[in-house]
Amino acid sequence: MDSIHTRKLPKSIIALACATVLFGTATPLLKILVDGMAPLLLIALLAIGSGAGILCWRAVSGPRFTTGRPCAGKREKYLLAGTIIVGGFVAPVVQCFALTVTPAATASLLLNFEIVATVLLAFLVFHEPADKKTGLALILIFAGSIILGWNGESALGFSLGALGIIISGFFWGVDNNCMAHISAYPPGLIALCKVIFGGTIAGVLVIALGEPLPGAGLIILALLTGFFSYGLGLILFIVALRDMGAARAGAVYAAAPFIGCIASLVVFSDLPGGQFWLAIPLFVAGALIVIYEQWKREYSPGSEQLSPKTP
């Protein structure tokens, strides 16, 4: 087995580790919130909180917030539009609606499908490197998703909530790849555009539908979750995506669903069923293979040859 050098961790790894913890712990919090308010209202409150987090980061980072390459080509404008639409509104809305009918621990594990979508899109569409071991890992994660989401009583063979979480994972994979290949715009600006777009649409729909407001405690929790997980966490994730590429960042990010799963089991104290325990070894094995392979590449002598392509 190749040795992995224990040298000083690069900033991209530190940023990704922080983002992974913030995103992972968000799942049980989202379950609490979505059980107490309408999903669209939750999206609007998360947008307000994340916008505050992004603006705080801007105050600390100064001019770097608005500094990017002088000109963005047509390709990067399309990628920016894609991440704003898919990551700013479509993916979070699908995830929040699916959480209303899915246990938090199960949803956390199913979010591993985001890894499958991220790595496959990075390999097939953006031509980032992949190998047979990574392919094996994705098969294991996909198999775990099938077992965890299977419902023989459903016409589709899948529970509606599980299917929704898997679909949201695909959209998050699209979002990750779009963000990873945008270099003309600074991370803070991308994050703020996503927040403004998603929050505005959700807010308009909330007003149009006349959704009632929850208690002050839930509102504060939603704002704080947005501030840390989807504000500061999003910026840290974009920074890591640019330095590492979608495939590598997605591999390390594989830890987020397990953090969410553990937190969910602690918070809700609900013992999962047999499908959960059958699926979790597949998720763990797949995630560990991907993390190890990508980590090994990060420190291998020829790792500079495997860095993602930039426009």
Side-chain angles (χ1 to χ4, degrees), residues 95-255:
Q95 182 179 346
C96 284
F97 272 100
L99 275 172
T100 61
V101 291
T102 309
T106 298
S108 295
L109 281 186
L110 284 172
L111 283 173
N112 272 286
F113 192 78
E114 178 181 343
I115 306 166
V116 177
T118 298
V119 177
L120 282 180
L121 289 170
F123 175 68
L124 296 174
V125 179
F126 294 97
H127 308 294
E128 291 188 20
D131 53 30
K132 292 181 180 179
K133 289 184 180 179
T134 301
L136 172 62
L138 298 185
I139 292 172
L140 290 172
I141 294 171
F142 184 74
S145 300
I146 297 295
I147 292 173
L148 196 58
W150 183 258
N151 181 357
E153 297 178 0
S154 170
L156 297 174
F158 254 66
S159 68
L160 189 60
L163 188 60
I165 295 294
I166 289 173
I167 292 172
S168 74
F170 172 77
F171 285 132
W172 286 124
V174 173
D175 178 44
N176 293 341
N177 277 278
C178 288
M179 287 193 297
H181 292 84
I182 298 174
S183 58
Y185 303 99
L189 186 59
I190 297 172
L192 192 58
C193 287
K194 293 173 72 170
V195 166
I196 292 172
F197 178 82
T200 300
I201 292 181
V204 169
L205 291 174
V206 165
I207 294 171
L209 296 172
E211 300 286 4
L213 289 175
L218 285 178
I219 292 176
I220 293 171
L221 180 60
L223 293 173
L224 289 175
T225 303
F227 184 93
F228 289 103
S229 296
Y230 298 102
L232 300 179
L234 177 58
I235 291 174
L236 291 171
F237 190 47
I238 295 173
V239 170
L241 278 170
R242 287 186 170 183
D243 289 344
M244 300 172 64
R248 288 184 178 184
V252 181
Y253 182 71

Side-chain angles (χ1 to χ4, degrees), residues 5-11 14 299:
H5 303 293
T6 55
R7 63 180 71 173
K8 185 178 178 181
L9 290 176
K11 290 181 180 179
I14 296 172
Y299 291 111

Side-chain angles (χ1 to χ4, degrees), residues 109 144 148 258 261 265 275-286:
L109 281 186
L148 196 58
F258 297 105
C261 180
L265 292 175
Q275 285 175 267
F276 179 91
W277 300 113
L278 285 173
I280 197 167
L282 298 175
F283 284 122
V284 171

